[in-house]
Amino acid sequence: DQRARVLRLQVGRAQLILDAILGTGFQLPLQGAAMDVLKVVQNALGQRADRPVIVAVDCPSGLDCDTGAVADETLAADLTVTLAAAKPGLLRFPGAAFTGRLVVADIGLPPDQPLLADIEIELASPIEVRPLLPGRPRDAHKGTFGRALIVAGSANYPGAALLAARSAYLVGAGLVSLAVPAPLQGMLAGSLPEATWVLLPHVSGAISRDAVGQLEPEWERTEAVLIGPGLGLESSSRDFMAELFGRPPRADGGPGAGEQLPSARRLPPCVVDADGLKHLAAQAGWPENLPAGTVLTPHPGEMSLLTGRSKDVIQAERLEAARRSAREWGHIVVLKGAHTVVAEPGGRATILPFATPALARAGTGDVLAGIIVGLRAQGVAAFSAAVLGGYLHGRAGELAAESLGTTAAVLASDVASAIPRSLAELQAG
C-alpha cells in the first residue's frame, strides 16, 4: 500500500473503524508500523467533514492499559469493548478520555480463575448493580421504606437541603424530614410539599450548637440521617458539628470520664457530605466518633482537607486514595469525580463507569448524598447504598444531558429530575 493510499481511501469513506492493533501488553513509546498506521488514520479522519464510529478492541491502540498514558497518535474511541476485565488505564485520565463507552466482554474465562477471583475492585455495571435495588412489596406503607432525616442548609445555601430531600424521595424513601434553620422553611416548603420539617435554632441563618439537643428525639424514629449539605462554614455550624461528633469520654477514667456519651453514639445510619466533612476535618479523632459504617462523600478538595494530602496527589491515585482512607477511617468512602470510587474498610472497591461534564455543576453532590440516604432509609447496606446511589446518580446525569441535548445546560435539579428514569431503566433490565 504505497504511501498508504488504500488506507486513506478506506478511512475516508468508512462508517465504522475497528481499532484492534495493540492491547494490554503495550507500553509507551509508540513506534514502528503501529505508529505509522495510526498517524495515517488520524490524518485521514482530519480530512473528513463527518466522523465515523470508532470501536476499540480491549483498549484504544497507543493507550497504556496500566497507567492511562496515551500516545499522540491514539484514536479516541466511541466504544471500547475490553476483554475479561476492565483495565486500570481505561479508567485513569488521560486514557479515560479516549475510551468512550466501556463494555466488558466475557471471553469464557472461569470466574474462579485465580487472577480474577482475587481481584477486590469491580467496575459497576447494570448486571452487578441491579440486585442491590430494594424491594417494593405491594402491601407496603410509607414506614416500609423508612424515614430519612436531612440535617442541612443555611441562609446562604438553602437549595442544598432541598436537592438532597427531593432526591431521597425520588429514589424511594417513604418519608423525608428536613431539619433546617427555622428561617429556611418559608423559602423551601412550597417546593417540596411532601417533606416534613424539624425547625432548628440558628445564628443568623446557620444551625447553632443548641440544635443537637433538639435533634435528640428524632434519632429513634429515623432509619438514616444525612448531615452536611449547605451547612455553611460559620462558627455556629462548626460548633454544632463539634457538639454532635465530639470526642467520647475516656475509658480509663481520665478527663471527661463520667460525661454523657455524645449524640454520635446514638445516631442512626449516617451519611456525611459537603460542609459537614469540612467541619469534621477540623476535629481530632473524628473517625472514631462516627456511627459504624458511616458513608463519607468527599470531592477531591474535601478529601484533601480530611487527609492532609494535596488534590493533585489524590487525583493521580484516586483508587488507592479512597481505599487507604476507608481502611484508616473504618468507614465507607465515596470519592467523587470522573469515575467515582466507592471503597470500604476491608479493601473492596467499586469504580463507577461515569465521566461526564453533566455532573460538573454545583448541587449535584447534594443530589448524590440525598440518593444514598434515601437508599439507606430503605435498609440498603452502607457499601451497597453508596454503589447503587452512585450508579443511579451518574446515569441520571447522562440522561439529563441526553434530554437537554448538551452537557453544558444540565443543572443539579435536572439530575434529580432524571432519577426516576435512571431507576426505571435499571429496574427494567
Side-chain angles (χ1 to χ4, degrees):
D1 185 11
Q2 292 182 352
R3 299 181 182 176
R5 279 182 267 188
V6 175
L7 179 57
R8 286 191 177 91
L9 176 65
Q10 295 293 342
V11 171
R13 66 187 186 188
Q15 293 177 302
L16 183 144
I17 293 177
L18 194 66
D19 173 6
I21 301 175
L22 300 171
T24 54
F26 168 74
Q27 290 182 319
L28 290 169
L30 179 65
Q31 53 194 344
M35 181 183 73
D36 295 338
V37 167
L38 289 171
K39 189 177 292 186
V40 168
V41 174
Q42 201 174 72
N43 290 336
L45 288 173
Q47 303 300 312
R48 292 184 55 156
D50 60 348
R51 185 180 186 276
V53 174
I54 298 178
V55 179
V57 178
D58 211 20
C59 64
S61 297
L63 184 153
D64 187 312
C65 288
D66 293 325
T67 69
V70 292
D72 291 340
E73 296 79 12
T74 301
L75 305 178
D78 299 287
L79 168 68
T80 296
V81 182
T82 197
L83 308 177
K87 316 306 185 293
L90 300 174
L91 301 169
R92 292 176 177 168
F93 286 89
F98 288 74
T99 300
R101 181 177 170 231
L102 180 62
V103 172
V104 179
D106 180 11
I107 57 171
L109 293 180
D112 58 352
Q113 200 270 348
L115 289 177
L116 290 178
D118 292 343
I119 293 175
E120 294 182 308
I121 306 160
E122 293 185 355
L123 177 69
S125 74
I127 293 174
E128 285 81 27
V129 172
R130 190 173 298 114
L132 306 179
L133 288 166
R136 306 288 295 182
R138 293 180 65 185
D139 61 346
H141 52 82
K142 66 183 179 184
T144 306
F145 305 120
R147 181 198 189 211
L149 178 66
I150 296 174
V151 183
S154 61
N156 292 332
Y157 306 104
L162 183 63
L163 287 167
R166 184 162 177 251
S167 302
Y169 259 135
L170 288 173
V171 83
L175 175 65
V176 178
S177 297
L178 275 164
V180 299
L184 268 62
Q185 187 196 29
M187 289 188 234
L188 303 178
S191 300
L192 193 65
E194 299 87 352
T196 62
W197 300 87
V198 180
L199 304 186
L200 300 177
H202 65 99
V203 176
S204 300
I207 290 177
S208 76
R209 179 192 292 266
D210 297 337
V212 174
Q214 191 162 330
L215 286 168
E216 287 284 347
E218 305 296 329
W219 304 144
E220 291 185 2
R221 51 197 186 95
T222 296
E223 275 67 48
V225 59
L226 166 62
I227 301 170
L231 281 184
L233 300 179
E234 289 77 12
S235 59
S236 61
S237 58
R238 179 195 64 212
D239 293 343
F240 165 77
M241 289 293 292
E243 179 76 11
L244 187 61
F245 294 115
R247 182 175 287 278
R250 290 171 51 179
D252 62 4
E259 295 178 7
Q260 186 179 11
L261 284 172
S263 304
R265 298 304 190 200
R266 298 185 297 279
L267 282 173
C270 191
V271 180
V272 183
D273 180 49
D275 292 336
L277 294 169
K278 296 172 185 174
H279 288 304
L280 282 184
Q283 299 181 26
W286 61 266
E288 64 193 64
N289 296 331
L290 298 175
T294 291
V295 179
L296 306 166
T297 58
H299 59 54
E302 292 157 352
M303 192 71 159
S304 178
L305 287 174
L306 291 165
T307 63
R309 300 181 179 95
S310 73
K311 286 196 292 185
D312 289 342
V313 169
I314 290 167
Q315 288 292 77
E317 289 292 342
R318 287 173 51 81
L319 175 60
E320 285 311 310
R323 295 177 79 195
R324 179 174 54 246
S325 294
R327 182 173 61 250
E328 292 175 357
W329 298 336
H331 299 289
I332 309 301
V333 173
V334 181
L335 179 55
K336 297 184 290 193
H339 299 305
T340 289
V341 180
V342 182
E344 56 93 26
R348 184 171 47 148
T350 295
I351 300 174
L352 299 174
F354 306 105
T356 171
L359 296 173
R361 189 61 61 88
T364 57
D366 305 321
V367 173
L368 173 60
I371 293 173
I372 294 173
V373 78
L375 293 169
R376 291 292 280 133
Q378 296 174 73
V380 180
F383 182 76
S384 296
V387 171
L388 175 58
Y391 189 93
L392 292 170
H393 176 258
R395 183 59 183 142
E398 291 183 337
L399 290 168
E402 290 173 12
S403 295
L404 295 171
T406 174
T407 60
V410 176
L411 301 179
S413 55
D414 298 318
V415 178
S417 295
I419 292 171
R421 282 179 290 155
S422 176
L423 187 58
E425 183 181 88
L426 190 59
Q427 289 171 330

